[in-house]
CSV table of all heavy atoms in Angstrom, one decimal:
chain,number,residue,atom,x,y,z
A,1,LEU,N,83.2,116.3,119.3
A,1,LEU,CA,83.4,115.2,118.4
A,1,LEU,C,83.8,115.7,116.9
A,1,LEU,O,83.5,116.8,116.6
A,1,LEU,CB,82.2,114.3,118.3
A,1,LEU,CG,81.6,113.8,119.6
A,1,LEU,CD1,80.3,113.0,119.3
A,1,LEU,CD2,82.6,112.9,120.3
A,2,MET,N,84.5,114.7,116.3
A,2,MET,CA,84.8,115.0,114.9
A,2,MET,C,84.9,113.6,114.2
A,2,MET,O,84.9,112.5,114.9
A,2,MET,CB,86.1,115.7,114.7
A,2,MET,CG,87.3,115.0,115.1
A,2,MET,SD,88.9,116.0,114.9
A,2,MET,CE,90.0,114.6,115.0
A,3,SER,N,85.1,113.6,112.8
A,3,SER,CA,85.0,112.3,112.2
A,3,SER,C,86.3,112.2,111.4
A,3,SER,O,86.8,113.1,110.7
A,3,SER,CB,83.8,112.3,111.3
A,3,SER,OG,82.6,112.3,111.9
A,4,PHE,N,86.9,111.0,111.4
A,4,PHE,CA,87.9,110.6,110.4
A,4,PHE,C,87.1,109.7,109.4
A,4,PHE,O,86.2,109.1,109.8
A,4,PHE,CB,89.1,110.0,111.0
A,4,PHE,CG,89.0,108.6,111.6
A,4,PHE,CD1,89.2,107.5,110.7
A,4,PHE,CD2,88.8,108.4,112.9
A,4,PHE,CE1,89.1,106.2,111.3
A,4,PHE,CE2,88.6,107.1,113.4
A,4,PHE,CZ,88.8,106.0,112.6
A,5,LEU,N,87.7,109.5,108.2
A,5,LEU,CA,86.9,108.8,107.2
A,5,LEU,C,87.8,107.6,106.7
A,5,LEU,O,89.0,107.6,106.6
A,5,LEU,CB,86.6,109.7,106.1
A,5,LEU,CG,86.0,111.1,106.4
A,5,LEU,CD1,85.9,111.9,105.2
A,5,LEU,CD2,84.7,110.9,107.0
A,6,THR,N,87.1,106.5,106.3
A,6,THR,CA,87.8,105.4,105.6
A,6,THR,C,87.0,105.2,104.3
A,6,THR,O,85.7,105.4,104.2
A,6,THR,CB,87.7,104.0,106.4
A,6,THR,OG1,86.3,103.8,106.8
A,6,THR,CG2,88.6,104.2,107.6
A,7,ALA,N,87.6,105.0,103.2
A,7,ALA,CA,87.0,105.0,101.9
A,7,ALA,C,87.5,103.9,101.0
A,7,ALA,O,88.7,103.7,100.9
A,7,ALA,CB,87.2,106.3,101.2
A,8,GLY,N,86.6,103.2,100.4
A,8,GLY,CA,87.0,102.1,99.4
A,8,GLY,C,85.7,101.6,98.8
A,8,GLY,O,84.6,102.1,99.1
A,9,GLU,N,85.9,100.7,97.9
A,9,GLU,CA,84.7,100.1,97.2
A,9,GLU,C,83.8,99.3,98.1
A,9,GLU,O,82.5,99.5,97.9
A,9,GLU,CB,85.2,99.1,96.1
A,9,GLU,CG,85.8,99.9,94.9
A,9,GLU,CD,86.2,99.0,93.7
A,9,GLU,OE1,85.8,97.8,93.8
A,9,GLU,OE2,86.8,99.4,92.8
A,10,PRO,N,84.2,98.7,99.2
A,10,PRO,CA,83.2,98.0,100.0
A,10,PRO,C,82.4,99.0,100.8
A,10,PRO,O,81.2,98.8,101.0
A,10,PRO,CB,84.0,97.1,100.9
A,10,PRO,CG,85.4,97.0,100.2
A,10,PRO,CD,85.6,98.2,99.4
A,11,GLU,N,83.1,100.1,101.4
A,11,GLU,CA,82.4,101.0,102.3
A,11,GLU,C,83.1,102.4,102.4
A,11,GLU,O,84.3,102.4,102.4
A,11,GLU,CB,82.2,100.4,103.6
A,11,GLU,CG,81.5,101.2,104.6
A,11,GLU,CD,81.3,100.7,106.0
A,11,GLU,OE1,82.4,100.0,106.5
A,11,GLU,OE2,80.4,100.8,106.7
A,12,VAL,N,82.2,103.4,102.4
A,12,VAL,CA,82.7,104.7,102.8
A,12,VAL,C,82.0,105.0,104.1
A,12,VAL,O,80.9,104.9,104.2
A,12,VAL,CB,82.3,105.8,101.7
A,12,VAL,CG1,82.5,107.2,102.2
A,12,VAL,CG2,83.1,105.6,100.4
A,13,ARG,N,83.0,105.4,105.0
A,13,ARG,CA,82.4,105.5,106.5
A,13,ARG,C,83.0,106.7,107.2
A,13,ARG,O,84.2,107.0,107.0
A,13,ARG,CB,82.6,104.2,107.1
A,13,ARG,CG,82.1,104.2,108.6
A,13,ARG,CD,82.1,102.7,109.1
A,13,ARG,NE,81.5,102.6,110.4
A,13,ARG,CZ,81.0,101.5,110.9
A,13,ARG,NH1,81.1,100.4,110.3
A,13,ARG,NH2,80.4,101.5,112.1
A,14,ALA,N,82.3,107.3,108.1
A,14,ALA,CA,82.7,108.2,109.0
A,14,ALA,C,82.8,107.7,110.4
A,14,ALA,O,81.8,107.0,110.8
A,14,ALA,CB,81.8,109.5,109.0
A,15,TRP,N,83.9,107.8,111.1
A,15,TRP,CA,84.2,107.2,112.4
A,15,TRP,C,84.2,108.4,113.4
A,15,TRP,O,85.0,109.3,113.2
A,15,TRP,CB,85.4,106.5,112.4
A,15,TRP,CG,85.4,105.3,111.6
A,15,TRP,CD1,85.8,105.2,110.2
A,15,TRP,CD2,85.1,103.9,111.9
A,15,TRP,NE1,85.6,104.0,109.7
A,15,TRP,CE2,85.2,103.1,110.6
A,15,TRP,CE3,84.6,103.4,113.0
A,15,TRP,CZ2,84.9,101.8,110.6
A,15,TRP,CZ3,84.3,102.0,113.0
A,15,TRP,CH2,84.4,101.3,111.9
A,16,THR,N,83.6,108.3,114.5
A,16,THR,CA,83.4,109.3,115.6
A,16,THR,C,84.6,109.2,116.5
A,16,THR,O,84.7,108.1,117.1
A,16,THR,CB,82.1,109.2,116.3
A,16,THR,OG1,81.0,109.4,115.3
A,16,THR,CG2,82.0,110.4,117.3
A,17,ILE,N,85.3,110.3,116.7
A,17,ILE,CA,86.3,110.4,117.7
A,17,ILE,C,86.3,111.7,118.5
A,17,ILE,O,85.7,112.7,117.9
A,17,ILE,CB,87.8,110.2,117.2
A,17,ILE,CG1,88.0,111.2,116.1
A,17,ILE,CG2,87.9,108.7,116.8
A,17,ILE,CD1,89.5,111.1,115.6
A,18,LYS,N,86.8,111.8,119.6
A,18,LYS,CA,86.9,113.1,120.4
A,18,LYS,C,88.0,113.9,119.6
A,18,LYS,O,89.0,113.4,119.2
A,18,LYS,CB,87.3,112.8,121.8
A,18,LYS,CG,86.1,112.4,122.7
A,18,LYS,CD,85.4,113.6,123.1
A,18,LYS,CE,84.3,113.2,124.2
A,18,LYS,NZ,83.5,114.4,124.6
A,19,LYS,N,87.8,115.2,119.6
A,19,LYS,CA,88.9,116.1,119.1
A,19,LYS,C,90.2,115.9,120.0
A,19,LYS,O,90.0,115.8,121.2
A,19,LYS,CB,88.4,117.6,119.1
A,19,LYS,CG,87.3,117.9,118.2
A,19,LYS,CD,86.7,119.2,118.3
A,19,LYS,CE,85.6,119.4,117.3
A,19,LYS,NZ,85.0,120.8,117.5
A,20,GLY,N,91.3,115.9,119.3
A,20,GLY,CA,92.6,115.6,120.1
A,20,GLY,C,92.9,114.2,120.2
A,20,GLY,O,94.0,113.8,120.7
A,21,THR,N,92.2,113.2,119.6
A,21,THR,CA,92.6,111.8,119.6
A,21,THR,C,93.8,111.5,118.8
A,21,THR,O,93.9,112.1,117.6
A,21,THR,CB,91.3,111.0,119.2
A,21,THR,OG1,90.2,111.2,120.0
A,21,THR,CG2,91.6,109.5,119.1
A,22,LYS,N,94.7,110.6,119.2
A,22,LYS,CA,95.8,110.3,118.5
A,22,LYS,C,95.5,109.1,117.6
A,22,LYS,O,94.5,108.3,117.8
A,22,LYS,CB,97.0,109.9,119.5
A,22,LYS,CG,97.5,111.1,120.2
A,22,LYS,CD,98.7,110.8,121.1
A,22,LYS,CE,99.3,112.1,121.7
A,22,LYS,NZ,100.4,111.7,122.6
A,23,ALA,N,96.4,108.9,116.7
A,23,ALA,CA,96.1,107.9,115.5
A,23,ALA,C,95.8,106.4,116.1
A,23,ALA,O,94.8,105.8,115.7
A,23,ALA,CB,97.3,107.9,114.6
A,24,PRO,N,96.6,105.9,117.1
A,24,PRO,CA,96.4,104.5,117.5
A,24,PRO,C,94.9,104.4,118.2
A,24,PRO,O,94.3,103.4,118.0
A,24,PRO,CB,97.4,104.3,118.6
A,24,PRO,CG,98.5,105.2,118.2
A,24,PRO,CD,97.9,106.4,117.7
A,25,GLN,N,94.6,105.4,118.9
A,25,GLN,CA,93.2,105.4,119.6
A,25,GLN,C,92.1,105.5,118.6
A,25,GLN,O,91.0,104.9,118.7
A,25,GLN,CB,93.2,106.5,120.6
A,25,GLN,CG,93.9,106.3,121.9
A,25,GLN,CD,95.4,106.4,121.7
A,25,GLN,OE1,96.0,107.3,121.1
A,25,GLN,NE2,96.2,105.3,122.2
A,26,ALA,N,92.4,106.3,117.5
A,26,ALA,CA,91.4,106.4,116.4
A,26,ALA,C,91.2,105.0,115.8
A,26,ALA,O,90.1,104.5,115.4
A,26,ALA,CB,91.8,107.4,115.4
A,27,ALA,N,92.4,104.3,115.6
A,27,ALA,CA,92.3,103.0,115.0
A,27,ALA,C,91.5,102.0,115.8
A,27,ALA,O,90.9,101.2,115.4
A,27,ALA,CB,93.8,102.5,114.7
A,28,GLY,N,91.7,102.2,117.2
A,28,GLY,CA,90.9,101.4,118.2
A,28,GLY,C,89.4,101.5,118.0
A,28,GLY,O,88.7,100.6,118.4
A,29,LYS,N,88.9,102.7,117.4
A,29,LYS,CA,87.4,102.8,117.2
A,29,LYS,C,87.0,101.8,116.1
A,29,LYS,O,85.8,101.4,116.2
A,29,LYS,CB,87.2,104.2,116.7
A,29,LYS,CG,87.3,105.3,117.7
A,29,LYS,CD,86.2,105.1,118.8
A,29,LYS,CE,86.3,106.2,119.9
A,29,LYS,NZ,85.2,106.1,120.9
A,30,ILE,N,87.9,101.4,115.2
A,30,ILE,CA,87.6,100.4,114.3
A,30,ILE,C,87.7,99.1,114.9
A,30,ILE,O,86.6,98.3,114.8
A,30,ILE,CB,88.5,100.5,113.0
A,30,ILE,CG1,88.3,101.9,112.3
A,30,ILE,CG2,88.2,99.3,112.0
A,30,ILE,CD1,89.2,102.0,111.1
A,31,HIS,N,88.7,98.7,115.6
A,31,HIS,CA,88.9,97.5,116.3
A,31,HIS,C,90.1,97.5,117.2
A,31,HIS,O,91.0,98.2,116.9
A,31,HIS,CB,89.1,96.3,115.4
A,31,HIS,CG,88.7,95.0,116.0
A,31,HIS,ND1,89.6,94.4,116.9
A,31,HIS,CD2,87.6,94.2,115.9
A,31,HIS,CE1,89.0,93.3,117.3
A,31,HIS,NE2,87.8,93.2,116.8
A,32,SER,N,89.9,97.0,118.4
A,32,SER,CA,90.9,97.1,119.4
A,32,SER,C,92.2,96.4,119.0
A,32,SER,O,93.3,96.8,119.4
A,32,SER,CB,90.5,96.4,120.8
A,32,SER,OG,90.1,95.0,120.5
A,33,ASP,N,92.1,95.3,118.1
A,33,ASP,CA,93.3,94.7,117.6
A,33,ASP,C,94.1,95.6,116.7
A,33,ASP,O,95.4,95.5,116.7
A,33,ASP,CB,92.9,93.5,116.8
A,33,ASP,CG,92.5,92.3,117.7
A,33,ASP,OD1,92.6,92.4,118.9
A,33,ASP,OD2,92.1,91.3,117.1
A,34,ILE,N,93.4,96.5,116.0
A,34,ILE,CA,94.1,97.5,115.1
A,34,ILE,C,95.0,98.5,116.0
A,34,ILE,O,96.1,98.8,115.7
A,34,ILE,CB,93.2,98.2,114.2
A,34,ILE,CG1,92.4,97.2,113.4
A,34,ILE,CG2,94.0,99.1,113.2
A,34,ILE,CD1,91.3,97.7,112.5
A,35,GLU,N,94.4,98.9,117.0
A,35,GLU,CA,95.1,99.8,118.1
A,35,GLU,C,96.2,99.1,118.7
A,35,GLU,O,97.3,99.7,118.7
A,35,GLU,CB,94.1,100.3,119.1
A,35,GLU,CG,94.8,101.2,120.1
A,35,GLU,CD,93.8,101.7,121.2
A,35,GLU,OE1,92.7,101.3,121.2
A,35,GLU,OE2,94.3,102.5,122.0
A,36,ARG,N,96.0,97.9,119.1
A,36,ARG,CA,97.1,97.1,119.7
A,36,ARG,C,98.3,96.8,118.8
A,36,ARG,O,99.4,96.9,119.2
A,36,ARG,CB,96.5,95.7,120.3
A,36,ARG,CG,97.5,94.8,120.9
A,36,ARG,CD,96.8,93.7,121.6
A,36,ARG,NE,95.9,92.9,120.7
A,36,ARG,CZ,96.3,92.0,119.8
A,36,ARG,NH1,97.7,91.7,119.9
A,36,ARG,NH2,95.4,91.4,119.0
A,37,GLY,N,98.0,96.5,117.4
A,37,GLY,CA,99.1,96.3,116.6
A,37,GLY,C,99.4,97.5,115.8
A,37,GLY,O,100.1,97.2,114.7
A,38,PHE,N,99.1,98.6,116.1
A,38,PHE,CA,99.2,99.9,115.2
A,38,PHE,C,100.7,100.0,114.9
A,38,PHE,O,101.6,99.9,115.7
A,38,PHE,CB,98.8,101.1,116.0
A,38,PHE,CG,98.9,102.3,115.2
A,38,PHE,CD1,98.0,102.8,114.3
A,38,PHE,CD2,100.2,103.1,115.4
A,38,PHE,CE1,98.2,104.0,113.7
A,38,PHE,CE2,100.3,104.3,114.7
A,38,PHE,CZ,99.3,104.7,113.8
A,39,ILE,N,101.0,100.2,113.6
A,39,ILE,CA,102.4,100.6,113.1
A,39,ILE,C,102.4,102.0,112.6
A,39,ILE,O,103.2,102.7,113.0
A,39,ILE,CB,102.7,99.6,111.9
A,39,ILE,CG1,102.8,98.2,112.4
A,39,ILE,CG2,104.1,100.1,111.4
A,39,ILE,CD1,103.0,97.1,111.5
A,40,ARG,N,101.5,102.3,111.7
A,40,ARG,CA,101.4,103.7,111.2
A,40,ARG,C,100.1,104.0,110.4
A,40,ARG,O,99.3,102.9,110.3
A,40,ARG,CB,102.6,104.1,110.3
A,40,ARG,CG,102.7,103.3,109.0
A,40,ARG,CD,104.0,103.6,108.3
A,40,ARG,NE,104.1,102.9,107.0
A,40,ARG,CZ,104.8,101.8,107.0
A,40,ARG,NH1,105.3,101.2,108.0
A,40,ARG,NH2,104.9,101.2,105.7
A,41,ALA,N,99.8,105.1,110.1
A,41,ALA,CA,98.6,105.5,109.4
A,41,ALA,C,98.9,106.2,108.1
A,41,ALA,O,99.7,107.2,108.1
A,41,ALA,CB,97.7,106.3,110.3
A,42,GLU,N,98.4,105.8,107.0
A,42,GLU,CA,98.6,106.5,105.8
A,42,GLU,C,97.4,107.4,105.6
A,42,GLU,O,96.2,107.1,105.6
A,42,GLU,CB,98.7,105.6,104.5
A,42,GLU,CG,99.9,104.8,104.5
A,42,GLU,CD,100.1,104.1,103.2
A,42,GLU,OE1,99.1,104.1,102.4
A,42,GLU,OE2,101.1,103.4,102.9
A,43,ILE,N,97.6,108.8,105.5
A,43,ILE,CA,96.6,109.8,105.6
A,43,ILE,C,96.6,110.8,104.5
A,43,ILE,O,97.8,111.3,104.1
A,43,ILE,CB,96.7,110.6,107.0
A,43,ILE,CG1,96.4,109.6,108.2
A,43,ILE,CG2,95.7,111.7,107.0
A,43,ILE,CD1,96.6,110.2,109.5
A,44,VAL,N,95.4,111.1,104.0
A,44,VAL,CA,95.3,112.1,103.0
A,44,VAL,C,94.1,113.0,103.4
A,44,VAL,O,93.1,112.4,103.9
A,44,VAL,CB,95.2,111.7,101.6
A,44,VAL,CG1,93.9,110.9,101.5
A,44,VAL,CG2,95.1,112.9,100.5
A,45,SER,N,94.2,114.3,103.3
A,45,SER,CA,93.1,115.1,103.8
A,45,SER,C,91.9,115.0,102.8
A,45,SER,O,92.2,114.8,101.6
A,45,SER,CB,93.4,116.6,104.0
A,45,SER,OG,93.6,117.2,102.6
């Protein structure tokens, strides 16, 4: 397992995914609608 992070004033959070997970499936960990309607991901390390 590993974690991707979301950060903002409402919440800072670590999300658990399997190593090797692609961006749409990672989005699905937050909600299935986000995976279904995925367009792109803005990412900074």
Side-chain angles (χ1 to χ4, degrees):
L1 303 176
M2 67 178 197
S3 299
F4 72 88
L5 313 173
T6 52
E9 289 184 6
E11 183 181 34
V12 166
R13 182 165 184 163
W15 297 87
T16 300
I17 54 174
K18 283 276 189 182
K19 292 175 182 176
T21 299
K22 292 184 178 180
Q25 287 69 51
K29 287 292 180 179
I30 298 176
H31 200 284
S32 57
D33 285 354
I34 305 174
E35 179 179 2
R36 181 170 52 84
F38 179 90
I39 296 172
R40 62 182 179 273
E42 288 188 355
I43 295 176
V44 61
S45 75

